[in-house]
Amino acid sequence: MKHVGEYRDGALAQGIAAAIRAEADPMRSYRLMEFCGGHTHAIARYGLEDLLPPQVRMIHGPGCPVCVLPVGRIDAAIRLAASPEITLCTYGDLMRVPGSNGDSLLKAKAAGADIRMVYSTLDAVGIAEREPTREVVFFAIGFETTSPPTAMAIRLAAQSGLSNFSIFCNHVLTPAAIRAIVAGPEARRDGVKIDGFVGPAHVSTVIGADAYAFCATEFAKPVAIAGFEPLDVLQAVLMLVRQVNQGRHEIENQYIRAVTANGNRKAQALVAEMFEPREAFEWRGLGALPHSGLRLRPAWSRFDAETRFEIETVAAADHPGCACGAVLRGVKRPEECRLFGVACTPDSPIGACMVSSEGACAAQWSYGRFRSPAASVAAERVPA
Amino acid sequence: MCLAIPAEVIDLLPDEMARVSLDGILKTISVGLLDEVAVGDYVIVHVGHALARIDEVEAQRTLALLAEMGVAAEEGR
Amino acid sequence: MSRDLFRSRLDLVGGRVEMTHGAGGRAMAQLIEAIFQPALANDFLGQGNDQAVMPLPRSGRLAMSTDGYVVSPLFFPGGDIGSLAVHGTINDIAMSGAVPLYLSVSLIIEEGFPLADLDRIAQSMGAASRAAGVPVVTGDTKVVERGKADGLFISTAGVGVVPPGLVLSGDRARPGDRVVLSGSIGDHGIAILSSRENLEFETAILSDSVALHDLVAAMVAAAGPHLRLMRDPTRGGVAATLNEIAHQSGVGIVIEEGTIPVKSQVIAACDLLGIDPLTVANEGKLIAVVDPAGAGSLLAAMRAHPLGGEAALIGTVVEDDRHFVQMRTAFGGGRIVDWLAGEQLPRIC
């Protein structure tokens, strides 16, 4: 595949990895957070950790929308789907996320709720068109990558005059989360020191590289925006190692083939036309963050499931043993959670980080658990 | 979640839709989020929508840089 | 039974299955005579009894297997539920090294199912069975009320005979053994997904659904004494099959990513859907574990066979009391190859 295969070249990767090993000072540490679940997945899927020297440590960030969605919102969606007139459309990632009392959308579906997996927002609109007697609610989640497609669906529904389509909006904003990781109340209490960020790939195509300027100006943190292919990630790591070595803190753009300084203005305008920031939105692990989530503007409230169906979100506690919150802040590694791999596995997840393949725990369990505790054959065979 | 993949625009359709090809896998997507799209463009596809156009010149530059980084490291050994 | 028993001819163009077609009366006899007997005709089925009576094999041991088919959609690029049900059971028997001999078929049909589709599926089963040389010797049909089945379910069983002296079993992999894959992976799963409502992408990829017993015979002839086990990586793909073998044999397996054949369109479709080709289903591929001394001759025999042209040595069995399947990625890093978690895909077989 053009624009994909080139960035999966194993021989080139060895070269970049050699450069990282040559340039990373063994006397200092480089704690680099990849914000996005997409990066977490690429790192685990291609075994990139084995290519990095020990002083370069990747810390998995909270950029997995499934992982940061609080239990209360899942509960609300499950209650919504229980109404006989409602068809809840959702991306597949959400089906197995645990709500309170071991509930999930998958279980609700088995119990008779009309819950359908869709792959595009347009599919949800299509269902509303084909089944006018159903109240079709789209479970909208995701960062800035995913909110423009939701906005497009609403525009389409409005143009088609659909009165049976609405969204349960859980869209969240990346800069707010980065701010919380660096300087939020939770991070101030127990946060890890981060030396640089591998910046989002597709979020950045929408919001643009300039959106991260605050990282450099306010917090003196270097950022390297990177694509989701493995060579992209390695190149961004090298860029960050160089920034740290040289004491720089700039916003660099490795994914310049798709990310501009200003991003996709048309998508931004569409989102701004329909959505406004909430005063605060609850994030799993990060708490309630100001101006971190979106809701529909009053002019579009007829498409807002929260007003149409009076959805009440009751805050619900995570499982007491679950360390998802600390994992999402980078404070704990997945294997440091006492439930990891014991009570909590991808087959029976307790925490959301174990559900999505982009979650830090699922990535570690599904791809990386051979690294701990005993040495593995593959690890032994990896060249130093 | 932010899974997105580059695909080539092979046909422009009415209502801001387009046919794209990923190595022969054909799909109909919306290009309504982009200002202008032409046949032959590579676009980043996310949940059925094109989010961005790929800049060929920058892509070539990135690849050249990647190759250069690797070679420099090999020589520095 | 003669045609004059029936009031009218079965309408194979616009007609539909009715409850009476499963009720044991004349309508059921007509359905069997008009659709299944011509499609599947052979001497054993022609006995017309509640059972088929066949001669005993002269030597060897019996292998028997059964499987249910609930694939959706029923017709997909490269096959349909009928041919799939024949191939799947033949392959399950063949993985023991057996020569498959006879099949049975049981159909559960939903009221209202188009007779034209039923006829097409029966024809497809017959064609697959004749091509493989494995007759359907006995069968059964049931009809359930509308809404109680998703169109049609098929259950097949089969028996075969394992040649004397050949013992293949999932618990026989030993450290040092080689792992061989017969061809490119993921074709069946991607063909099915491409025809799913909601996903709707177009691809030239066809299901690889095919009977593997002839390839197996060539493998047994070339390297029988060296073979430890064979298995076809269907649901859960190569990842699930390798994990099954590792657990059953109490070993670890290390595979090399770069050696695994995958078509570029399958990779593209997997990228589009966010799935791993290693977890995508196959219906015409097999994995064999062979001792190192037999690996060369086995691979040569497979590559000389039309169904094994792309056969590749993909890995090695190692000692590992955690029974991990690990992969050296094309990047030189390591990763686990895990079972598919949950059920992220629609029904595929």
Side-chain angles (χ1 to χ4, degrees):
Chain A
M1 268 177 292
K2 189 167 153 69
H3 296 302
V4 176
E6 305 93 305
Y7 303 93
R8 295 179 184 173
D9 183 317
L12 274 182
Q14 295 302 329
I16 312 289
I20 294 170
R21 288 194 292 269
E23 295 185 34
D25 183 348
M27 301 310 289
R28 71 193 301 171
S29 73
Y30 302 78
R31 281 157 303 199
L32 309 179
M33 174 176 276
E34 85 276 6
F35 181 82
C36 285
H39 287 132
T40 303
H41 185 261
I43 290 166
R45 158 75 182 74
Y46 290 92
L48 299 187
E49 277 183 48
D50 290 338
L51 303 183
L52 300 178
Q55 65 271 31
V56 177
R57 186 190 149 191
M58 302 308 296
I59 297 167
H60 311 314
C64 160
V66 171
C67 304
V68 296
L69 191 68
V71 172
R73 301 294 281 186
I74 293 283
D75 289 344
I78 292 171
R79 279 198 303 276
L80 187 64
S83 306
E85 75 277 16
I86 284 177
T87 296
L88 185 75
C89 295
T90 170
Y91 294 127
D93 314 43
L94 281 166
M95 290 295 282
R96 298 191 308 122
V97 177
S100 298
N101 312 317
D103 272 351
S104 67
L105 290 173
L106 195 67
K107 285 185 179 163
K109 181 168 181 280
D114 185 5
I115 299 173
R116 305 193 204 169
M117 267 170 59
V118 294
Y119 291 81
S120 167
T121 54
L122 302 180
D123 297 338
V125 177
I127 291 171
E129 268 173 349
R130 283 194 304 274
E131 302 181 33
T133 60
R134 304 293 301 161
E135 277 290 345
V136 176
V137 179
F138 177 64
F139 194 168
I141 72 159
F143 288 90
E144 291 89 337
T145 325
T146 311
S147 43
T150 302
M152 284 289 279
I154 293 170
R155 199 179 75 178
L156 190 66
Q159 282 167 354
S160 310
L162 288 181
S163 59
N164 64 329
F165 177 80
S166 59
I167 68 159
F168 177 37
C169 184
N170 295 275
H171 285 300
V172 286
L173 301 171
T174 304
I178 294 182
R179 204 174 270 280
I181 290 286
V182 183
E186 300 274 359
R188 277 204 301 274
R189 183 162 52 80
D190 65 2
V192 283
K193 185 175 166 295
I194 289 162
D195 298 302
F197 287 95
V198 175
H202 298 124
V203 162
S204 305
T205 65
V206 176
I207 68 175
D210 287 352
Y212 307 98
F214 71 95
C215 294
T217 54
E218 286 181 49
F219 303 117
K221 299 290 182 196
V223 175
I225 295 161
F228 278 161
E229 295 304 329
L231 276 185
D232 292 326
V233 179
L234 283 178
Q235 188 182 16
V237 168
L238 181 56
M239 291 164 98
L240 289 172
V241 165
R242 286 177 177 171
Q243 285 211 47
V244 171
N245 285 349
Q246 295 160 9
R248 290 185 288 127
H249 39 81
E250 296 163 14
I251 311 306
E252 292 184 311
N253 185 0
Q254 184 278 337
Y255 198 33
I256 196 163
R257 63 185 184 278
V259 173
T260 60
N262 297 321
N264 183 336
R265 286 275 169 83
K266 193 175 177 189
Q268 290 168 17
L270 182 67
V271 170
E273 180 195 341
M274 287 180 192
F275 295 95
E276 62 188 10
R278 296 173 192 259
E279 275 100 61
F281 192 73
E282 179 79 21
W283 295 53
R284 188 191 302 246
L286 300 175
L289 304 181
H291 306 295
S292 66
L294 296 177
R295 68 167 166 239
L296 281 165
R297 292 184 183 278
W300 296 87
S301 63
R302 66 187 186 281
F303 295 104
D304 190 346
E306 278 180 89
T307 49
R308 271 175 87 123
F309 304 106
E310 293 173 5
I311 299 170
E312 197 189 349
T313 303
V314 183
D318 288 347
H319 185 285
C322 175
C324 273
V327 168
L328 287 165
R329 291 194 298 280
V331 178
K332 277 192 176 177
R333 291 169 183 254
E335 59 270 36
E336 288 167 356
C337 173
R338 63 187 172 87
L339 302 181
F340 179 80
V342 185
C344 184
T345 65
D347 290 309
S348 59
I350 288 175
C353 300
M354 193 57 102
V355 176
S356 164
S357 67
E358 295 180 354
C361 297
Q364 172 65 17
W365 175 258
S366 301
Y367 295 119
R369 69 184 185 276
F370 68 88
R371 292 192 184 87
S372 57
S376 77
V377 178
E380 283 163 12
R381 293 176 58 197
V382 168
Chain B
M1 189 70 219
C2 292
L3 179 81
I5 192 94
E8 184 182 7
V9 176
I10 55 168
D11 199 7
L12 293 173
L13 306 174
D15 300 327
E16 300 186 307
M17 302 296 280
R19 298 275 286 161
V20 296
S21 166
L22 287 94
D23 251 19
I25 300 276
L26 305 181
K27 192 152 175 63
T28 301
I29 64 160
S30 161
V31 289
L33 289 168
L34 297 181
D35 277 325
E36 47 188 289
V37 187
V39 169
D41 282 352
Y42 276 78
V43 294
I44 305 263
V45 182
H46 171 66
V47 297
H49 299 259
L51 283 184
R53 227 184 356 255
I54 291 188
D55 183 326
E56 287 281 347
V57 176
E58 291 294 356
Q60 290 312 318
R61 247 184 240 163
T62 299
L63 286 171
L65 193 62
L66 281 167
E68 202 178 290
M69 279 175 160
V71 170
E74 295 295 325
E75 284 169 354
R77 275 183 172 176
Chain C
M1 220 174 290
S2 65
R3 286 209 177 275
D4 55 12
L5 265 174
F6 312 126
R7 277 171 291 138
S8 58
R9 285 173 61 109
L10 215 51
D11 176 6
L12 290 184
V13 179
R16 292 182 178 275
V17 173
E18 297 163 16
M19 290 306 294
T20 51
H21 286 127
R26 269 192 288 271
M28 189 173 99
Q30 185 185 24
L31 187 77
I32 291 167
E33 181 168 309
I35 292 183
F36 292 104
Q37 281 178 354
L40 302 172
N42 62 73
D43 291 346
F44 299 110
L45 191 67
Q47 291 167 2
N49 296 319
D50 284 352
Q51 72 296 117
V53 178
M54 292 88 64
L56 272 178
R58 261 169 276 146
S59 62
R61 295 174 303 141
L62 274 183
M64 180 166 181
S65 183
T66 184
D67 211 344
Y69 295 85
V70 296
V71 65
S72 172
L74 299 172
F75 300 94
F76 48 83
D80 58 64
I81 191 170
S83 54
L84 184 68
V86 168
H87 295 151
T89 293
I90 288 177
N91 291 346
D92 281 347
I93 295 167
M95 292 307 111
S96 66
V99 177
L101 295 177
Y102 310 112
L103 298 175
S104 75
V105 172
S106 161
L107 295 101
I108 295 174
I109 312 165
E110 184 180 0
E111 177 187 18
F113 191 73
L115 286 171
D117 285 353
L118 187 64
D119 190 44
R120 191 173 151 202
I121 288 165
Q123 300 280 354
S124 165
M125 291 182 85
S129 142
R130 278 189 300 278
V134 186
V136 174
V137 297
T138 184
D140 180 56
T141 58
K142 293 279 187 316
V143 178
V144 296
E145 289 163 323
R146 189 179 270 278
K148 299 283 171 67
D150 194 0
L152 173 91
F153 300 143
I154 299 182
S155 174
T156 47
V159 290
V161 59
V162 186
L166 186 66
V167 182
L168 304 185
S169 174
D171 60 2
R172 293 192 68 226
R174 294 291 172 267
D177 285 351
R178 302 288 189 261
V179 181
V180 175
L181 172 66
S182 69
S184 74
I185 62 169
D187 296 7
H188 176 71
I190 294 304
I192 296 284
L193 289 172
S194 75
S195 44
R196 295 284 305 193
E197 199 186 348
N198 283 354
L199 289 180
E200 277 170 9
F201 56 88
E202 286 167 41
T203 165
I205 296 284
L206 303 177
S207 166
D208 58 352
S209 173
V210 72
L212 290 166
H213 59 310
D214 195 56
L215 172 65
V216 168
M219 293 167 68
V220 169
H226 299 284
L227 278 171
R228 307 285 201 195
L229 64 96
M230 284 187 270
R231 199 155 281 191
D232 56 339
T234 54
R235 263 176 308 179
V238 167
T241 298
L242 292 177
N243 276 287
E244 284 164 21
I245 295 169
H247 278 262
Q248 213 177 330
S249 289
V251 295
I253 295 174
V254 179
I255 59 173
E256 294 278 339
E257 183 172 25
T259 62
I260 299 171
V262 196
K263 294 188 174 84
S264 65
Q265 277 208 359
V266 170
I267 295 177
C270 285
D271 276 349
L272 181 73
L273 300 170
I275 57 180
D276 186 340
L278 288 169
T279 61
V280 179
N282 311 276
E283 290 291 347
K285 299 296 171 341
L286 62 82
I287 283 173
V289 176
V290 59
D291 75 37
S297 52
L298 182 73
L299 210 53
M302 291 174 78
R303 285 178 179 161
H305 192 279
L307 296 179
E310 284 186 289
L313 197 61
I314 63 163
T316 306
V317 178
V318 298
E319 266 184 60
D320 181 356
D321 53 17
R322 297 168 303 174
H323 312 154
F324 283 164
V325 177
Q326 298 182 48
M327 181 161 83
R328 290 253 301 150
T329 71
F331 270 57
R335 61 166 266 208
I336 291 267
V337 175
D338 213 354
W339 314 74
L340 181 64
E343 202 250 348
Q344 45 177 240
L345 297 180
R347 297 195 309 254
I348 44 166
C349 60

